[in-house]
Amino acid sequence: MASFGERFLVDAPPGVMAPRPGGGGRGAAAGRAGPRQRQQQQQQAVPRAQPQQQQQQRYEAFPPPPEASVEQLTNMGFEREAVLRALRESHNNLERAADRLLTGG
């Protein structure tokens, strides 16, 4: 095992500490990745879904909107596709879907 001086000092003037060439910190000397390196490795290892795929997966978890809600909102003059989208985005909550359609959100 390398001593403290061998690990951190490389011909430095007295009282000045310099990192050892080749990344000689504790984590690298012990063969372990530091917290930042572990986080980067985890981020690289996890395949990320595209935002559209994430949205689609989120909506697939809910049952289809009740036909009565769809009919009520289409009778208010909204297009069926817009109604279905609003109901999915509001988790089949009729009031929230109507608000979303009325405010354009």
Side-chain angles (χ1 to χ4, degrees), residues 12-78:
V16 177
M17 298 195 58
R20 184 176 186 186
R26 264 195 316 173
R32 296 184 307 238
R36 181 171 285 165
Q37 290 172 332
R38 281 194 299 270
Q39 184 180 14
Q40 289 173 348
Q41 289 169 352
Q42 289 172 351
Q43 288 174 351
Q44 292 171 355
V46 176
R48 297 193 181 260
Q50 298 299 326
Q52 217 172 24
Q53 290 173 338
Q54 289 174 344
Q55 238 179 5
Q56 186 66 26
Q57 290 170 352
R58 198 175 350 176
Y59 297 144
E60 289 174 1
F62 296 100
E67 192 57 38
S69 298
V70 174
E71 185 178 340
Q72 189 172 355
L73 291 170
T74 53
N75 287 341
M76 292 174 67
F78 298 107

Side-chain angles (χ1 to χ4, degrees), residues 4 8-10 12-19:
F4 179 83
F8 294 103
L9 297 177
V10 178
V16 177
M17 298 195 58

